[in-house]
Amino acid sequence: MTHVYTFLKSLCIASTGLLMLLIPKISSAQISTFPYTETFGASGCGLPTGFSNTGSDPWDFQNTSETYMEGLDHTSGGGCFASMDDSGGAADDSCVLTSPTFDLTSIPGAQLRFWWQNSNSTTSAPDLTGPRPWSNLYVDISTNGGTTWTRDVVALEDSQQIGWAEAIVNLAPYVSSSTVIRFRGLETRSFRSDLSLDDILIFEPQQWDAELAAIINPVSGGCGDAAATVEIQVVNNGVDTITSLPVFYQKDGGTPVVDTITTTILPASSLTHVFSTNLDLSVAGNVNLKVWTDLALDSVFTNDTLSAVIIIAPTISSYPYYQDFEAGQAGWVMSGINSSWAFGTPNKNIIQGAASGVNAFVNGGLTGTYNVNENSEVTGPCFNFSSTQGELWVSLDIWYDAEFSWDGAVLQYSTDDGISWSNVGDLNDPFNWYTDGSINGNPGGQQVGWSGTGTSGSQAWINAKHALPASISNNSKVIFRIAFGSDGSVVDDGFAFDNFAVVDYSEVDLGPDQLSLCGTSQTILKSGAMSWGDHLWSTTETTDSIIVSTQGQYWVEFTDTILDFTSSDTIVIIESTPPNINFTSAFDTIALNSSTVLDPQLPFDLDYIWTPGNFTFPYLLIRGTDYGVGTYVFNLKVTDSVLCSDQASITVTIVDFTGLDEEESASISLYPNPVSDYLNVQLSGITSDQVVLELFGMDGKRHFSRQLDAYNTDQTVIDLRDLASGMYTLVVSTENGRMTEIIVKQ
């Protein structure tokens, strides 16, 4: 559909310093009831009653975001405002909005207040050449019904205003029974010098008047918060300075919370205040919030109180999240300007049925077309991604039939409770993502999204999916919304979505390429996939894990049934013989003044852990004096390079053989030690008459015994040729005690 724009040109020239051509005297019903307000919404975003609108590019009245402006209307972001939309491409176009006639004689101290803004360089990057880079706004006042005018009572020239600003005019010099006010806008740059006007107020300030102007926070649709901030804006409409202002808030009719603002508030000024006590919004559902001021001498009560319904979204923490909406809207909320969203079964000219089941969201109602100048959305629950492990993906089934490049929809996310929104993905991304980058209807306040009709539309339900930004993977408060925007003409079936899913996606991962089984043990192989899907193993099993007890090559293939992605992995299982600890005996006995070696008889290239002590030696030397008399259990765990292991224990008893220890001259001399064939034993310094010489194996078996007399102990030869290699204990016993030594047989 081709858009045809008609640019009305009048003979009105609105440049400061030039005379205007004659404008007919204003004839309208006289207004004498105050305060008087005009928010541009009562007439459905049309010309307000009693106003006239002239100029070469007259004022527009709308409720959609301007491309080169900051946000929507001043009051709520969802109402109407007046706009000088510089879309004609010519500089120095003008617009004149003239008010009805006011009888101000009953309010001699009358005041005019209004809100305005013009082009914002942070979003529009306007042409900075020339002397007048911003739109100009002038206020003229007549006291004789529009016959003559005092020009430029307010002259906002060469002034950039980012966001809404308040202007205040003292009307006391212009009090009459026929006062008329006109707002003149002058475009100073083609296409980039837009101007907006909103919330006109005429009133007489009282001595004391504290107005609660807005509830800034909390906002509806956010995630649950056990300590939500309550922030308000208050205005001093009185003529006296406010130095102490009690303010209150109340949740669901409960006990009011009170603060006192002690910051000085001058007349005609405002401030924001954050309550020192936070608000518990941790439970999903609707919260009725009431806020009010309580200035002791306040004489105007109609502006003291504001109420709001704060919708707290439910929180999703388990994934994959898959919502087909067959059980209801599941915490998804429809809202917005001129919203035409509906929930149920679409039965339209183009869009027919749900993607699955019977329920879907669709704008334009279930049977009709969407609205012109629609700026609406469907907002989902809160998503907590703090425990996710893989790559986050979003998937949804969509059907779009919206005028290409003029109307369309976009998927956005917010991490600040809906204060600001960012697009998921970009134009021409894969998997049926956005089709246009210049949608004039500005879905979600920008121009990228799904747009098109006929063959450029989806023509049926299709699946669209996209990876989510890595920056939100650990965020605990993420909200998604489908935003739709349309321009002022041509409407179609709209945009529908169903089967919304968020997947914590990871490919199959069986771990290392090779894994060893120890002896007859078994292991569990897990696919590692975290979404819904179908498994197929080389063993033909279709579970997410299998038990393996034999060596060989194994593989698994997994198909994610939400994202339709397939991945696979392979692993080789080998069998390994675990090490075998071989202590000669499970028991050993040594004297307090001797030692023994605990030897597992294994290679040195294994990992050893002796306990107690956490020693890592291949063998352990036990000295009696290190431990003292007693019985001790020493544990050993041995692990090889493929993590096969064995464990064993040995008990060592340490005894105190008194007697020989006291004979300072008693000694045993052994050589050679280690020994292969014959061991020479030399005893000296023994005074006992009877001496017994014995040789024991580590298993306690006695292999040699000989009784000697004290006068024949110079040297004894023991034949060890028939003994196996290993460690042996030589024991010398007398009536006074015993001595022991360790012999190593090679």
Side-chain angles (χ1 to χ4, degrees), residues 488-510:
S489 64
V490 183
V491 291
D492 295 293
D493 270 21
F495 185 89
F497 73 95
D498 196 0
N499 298 332
F500 191 96
V502 177
V503 178
D504 183 9
Y505 177 74
S506 62
E507 294 186 340
V508 167
D509 184 6
L510 296 178

Side-chain angles (χ1 to χ4, degrees), residues 333-369:
V333 178
M334 301 174 286
S335 60
I337 301 168
N338 285 343
S339 175
S340 64
W341 284 99
F343 179 75
T345 305
N347 186 22
K348 300 151 82 74
N349 184 38
I350 302 295
I351 301 177
Q352 293 283 324
S356 67
V358 297
N359 287 333
F361 283 97
V362 59
N363 74 327
L366 297 177
T367 59
T369 57

Side-chain angles (χ1 to χ4, degrees), residues 9 61 71 75 106 128 144 149 154 176 184 277 297 306 321 338 405 437 439 445-446 451 503 509 636 668 697 713 740:
K9 303 292 182 180
F61 304 96
T75 306
S106 63
L128 297 179
N144 53 19
W149 295 89
V154 173
S176 77
R184 286 187 293 116
T277 302
L297 300 177
L306 290 176
Y321 167 85
N338 285 343
S405 208
I439 302 174
Q446 53 81 64
S451 180
V503 178
D509 184 6
L636 173 62
I668 302 175
T713 58
T740 62

Side-chain angles (χ1 to χ4, degrees), residues 76-328:
S76 64
C80 304
F81 61 98
S83 172
M84 181 180 68
D85 184 1
D86 189 6
S87 58
D92 292 329
D93 280 348
S94 65
C95 54
V96 180
L97 181 65
T98 306
S99 75
T101 301
F102 297 102
D103 181 358
L104 302 180
T105 56
S106 63
I107 51 171
Q111 189 176 98
L112 164 68
R113 295 187 181 184
F114 61 90
W115 292 82
W116 69 283
Q117 65 169 321
N118 62 12
S119 300
N120 179 355
S121 66
T122 62
T123 57
S124 65
D127 181 3
L128 297 179
T129 61
R132 296 178 300 174
W134 313 113
S135 300
N136 295 338
L137 177 62
Y138 306 94
V139 176
D140 305 330
I141 301 178
S142 171
T143 57
N144 53 19
T147 301
T148 59
W149 295 89
T150 302
R151 293 170 55 84
D152 304 344
V153 175
V154 173
L156 302 170
E157 297 177 315
D158 300 334
S159 175
Q160 176 197 10
Q161 175 55 45
I162 301 174
W164 290 101
E166 187 179 31
I168 300 174
V169 183
N170 180 15
L171 294 180
Y174 310 101
V175 169
S176 77
S177 61
S178 301
T179 301
V180 182
I181 302 168
R182 68 186 182 193
F183 300 88
R184 286 187 293 116
L186 178 63
E187 299 168 356
T188 60
R189 280 292 176 272
S190 61
F191 292 107
R192 291 176 175 173
S193 52
D194 296 348
L195 182 70
S196 295
L197 175 69
D198 200 8
D199 292 341
I200 298 171
L201 171 65
I202 298 175
F203 71 109
E204 182 173 44
Q206 302 298 308
Q207 182 176 2
W208 298 102
D209 180 13
E211 175 189 0
L212 179 61
I215 300 174
I216 301 173
N217 278 313
V219 295
S220 188
C223 298
D225 189 346
T229 296
V230 179
E231 182 178 9
I232 60 174
Q233 181 187 41
V234 295
V235 178
N236 183 359
N237 290 328
V239 297
D240 284 357
T241 298
I242 298 175
T243 58
S244 179
L245 176 62
V247 290
F248 299 79
Y249 78 76
Q250 184 184 47
K251 172 188 174 183
D252 293 332
T255 302
V257 175
V258 61
D259 259 7
T260 300
I261 300 175
T262 57
T263 303
T264 298
I265 312 175
L266 297 174
S269 65
S270 64
L271 61 77
T272 60
H273 173 72
V274 176
F275 278 83
S276 58
T277 302
N278 291 331
L279 175 62
D280 185 359
L281 297 178
S282 58
V283 179
N286 294 351
V287 171
N288 295 297
L289 180 64
K290 178 181 177 182
V291 187
W292 67 94
T293 64
D294 189 20
L295 184 63
L297 300 177
D298 198 328
S299 57
V300 180
F301 306 112
T302 57
N303 59 7
D304 293 349
T305 304
L306 290 176
S307 297
V309 177
I310 309 299
I311 301 174
I312 307 303
T315 297
I316 307 300
S317 300
S318 178
Y319 302 95
Y321 167 85
Y322 184 85
Q323 184 53 251
D324 61 8
F325 303 112
E326 292 309 296

Side-chain angles (χ1 to χ4, degrees), residues 690-702:
Q690 298 295 326
V691 179
V692 177
L693 187 64
E694 297 173 295
L695 184 67
F696 295 90
M698 299 304 291
D699 58 356
K701 181 179 179 181
R702 185 168 62 183

Side-chain angles (χ1 to χ4, degrees), residues 517 519-524 546-551 554 573 575:
L517 291 178
T520 59
S521 64
Q522 60 186 23
T523 188
I524 298 177
I546 62 173
I547 299 175
V548 174
S549 58
T550 59
Q551 66 181 10
Y554 298 83
I573 304 296
E575 293 181 356

